[in-house]
Amino acid sequence: MISLGLEDKVVFVTGGNRGIGAATVALLEHLGAKVAYTHRSDRINPYGMAIAADVTNGSAMEQVVEKIEQTLGSIYGVVANAGITRDNFFPKQTTSDWDAVIDTNLKGVYHTLMPVIPKMYERGEGSVVCISSISGERGNVGQTNYAASKAGLIGLTKTLALEAARYGVRANVVAPGFIDTEMLQSVPDKVKQRILSEVPLRRFGKPEEVAWAVAFLLSPIASSYVTGTVLRVNGACHT
Ligand code: NDP
């Protein structure tokens, strides 16, 4: 039997209750990892260890990391997945929507990684996967705030990869295209039909298809020489 080497590895996923995060938690558990995830809404994902926490709260995220390490052991992998959209055309965007998106999608990753990275450096191992978006690479109408946060995340991760390499820690990005989750369901039907007509594979992606890309990048076997990269999972919607 071929293994991804994730058996008994402790992996922390933010926003693991729904969508891509939930699929990732489930897959990693099936691959033998010990998984913990954060949630804000009532727990619906039965897999993994669930901890209620908001990624915009730095001290809460410090406590989450402590709790995971005390309960499951040293964190090997982090999947910074929690994210939101607040779409509108640029002049119509509100400052509160701008702040909410940046605080969650970009600063939330800062809060997630800050307590973990020093521990990974001390141990000389670790793998970080940040979930960006096709919008962060090529832009998307109505998403200046979201695209800015997701492009920023690519810059953060590529830089982290450069700094972390000497400590044996890897950092990569998964950039999904249009994936069938509640986030996509909030898009008006007319817009969804237009998006679909532009996807060469002629369908939206499934959360599980993103989860497999995450598992690959977490794997100390399959992706041991892969760091600082952006892995697109987008049905050929390339820039
Ligand atoms: P969903 O809306 O289905 O799930 C988002 C998850 O993020 C939820 O579990 C939610 O928690 C969590 N979350 C949101 N804000 C916070 C917060 N402040 N603190 C903690 N958790 C939070 O979205 P997807 O699964 O579709 O998206 C997952 C990631 O993938 C996001 O980063 C998104 O930007 C990205 N992405 C999605 C694409 C898509 O087409 N769906 C395309 C490209 C990227 P709760 O359930 O508790 O509210």
Side-chain angles (χ1 to χ4, degrees):
M1 182 75 94
I2 293 176
S3 153
L4 284 181
L6 292 170
E7 298 83 1
D8 292 325
K9 296 280 191 211
V10 177
V11 182
F12 169 32
V13 181
T14 63
N17 207 23
R18 293 186 282 125
I20 291 168
T24 301
V25 169
L27 175 63
L28 293 173
E29 197 161 282
H30 282 120
L31 292 169
K34 296 194 268 183
V35 191
Y37 73 88
T38 58
H39 64 105
R40 291 180 311 169
S41 49
D42 289 346
R43 179 179 189 179
I44 51 172
N45 181 3
Y47 294 98
M49 172 179 136
I51 306 172
D54 190 318
V55 295
T56 63
N57 183 336
S59 58
M61 295 307 285
E62 284 174 19
Q63 288 167 24
V64 167
V65 168
E66 284 308 313
K67 186 166 180 185
I68 294 169
E69 296 228 327
Q70 279 165 13
T71 313
L72 299 181
S74 300
I75 294 173
Y76 167 78
V78 177
V79 184
N81 164 77
I84 59 168
T85 50
R86 294 283 185 276
D87 296 353
N88 215 334
F89 295 114
F90 185 71
K92 293 184 180 161
Q93 262 179 22
T94 63
T95 305
S96 67
D97 281 349
W98 177 273
D99 288 345
V101 168
I102 300 294
D103 280 353
T104 305
N105 299 3
L106 189 54
K107 197 166 180 192
V109 177
Y110 166 88
H111 288 315
T112 301
L113 298 181
M114 195 51 87
V116 189
I117 295 297
K119 294 178 189 294
M120 288 181 168
Y121 285 1
E122 275 171 31
R123 295 171 195 139
E125 64 165 21
S127 180
V128 172
V129 180
C130 294
I131 309 298
S132 178
S133 166
I134 188 171
S135 302
E137 289 197 290
R138 69 168 202 191
N140 195 28
V141 170
Q143 292 197 317
T144 48
N145 51 9
Y146 182 79
S149 71
K150 294 298 189 179
L153 192 48
I154 293 173
L156 182 161
T157 312
K158 286 189 169 199
T159 305
L160 182 63
L162 293 174
E163 295 182 6
R166 76 187 68 174
Y167 300 100
V169 175
R170 296 180 299 112
N172 289 288
V173 170
V174 170
F178 300 96
I179 310 299
D180 195 7
T181 67
E182 286 176 46
M183 182 175 277
L184 187 66
Q185 283 151 23
S186 67
V187 173
D189 275 346
K190 215 172 118 186
V191 178
K192 269 197 294 200
Q193 285 314 313
R194 181 190 47 79
I195 293 171
L196 198 51
S197 71
E198 293 168 2
V199 179
L201 272 186
R202 290 288 179 261
R203 65 173 177 83
F204 295 125
K206 298 175 199 154
E208 297 74 21
E209 292 173 311
V210 181
W212 276 107
V214 173
F216 164 73
L217 289 172
L218 285 174
S219 167
I221 294 173
S223 62
S224 48
Y225 200 57
V226 181
T227 190
T229 197
V230 178
L231 177 51
R232 294 170 176 162
V233 182
N234 66 17
C237 287
H238 296 299
T239 49

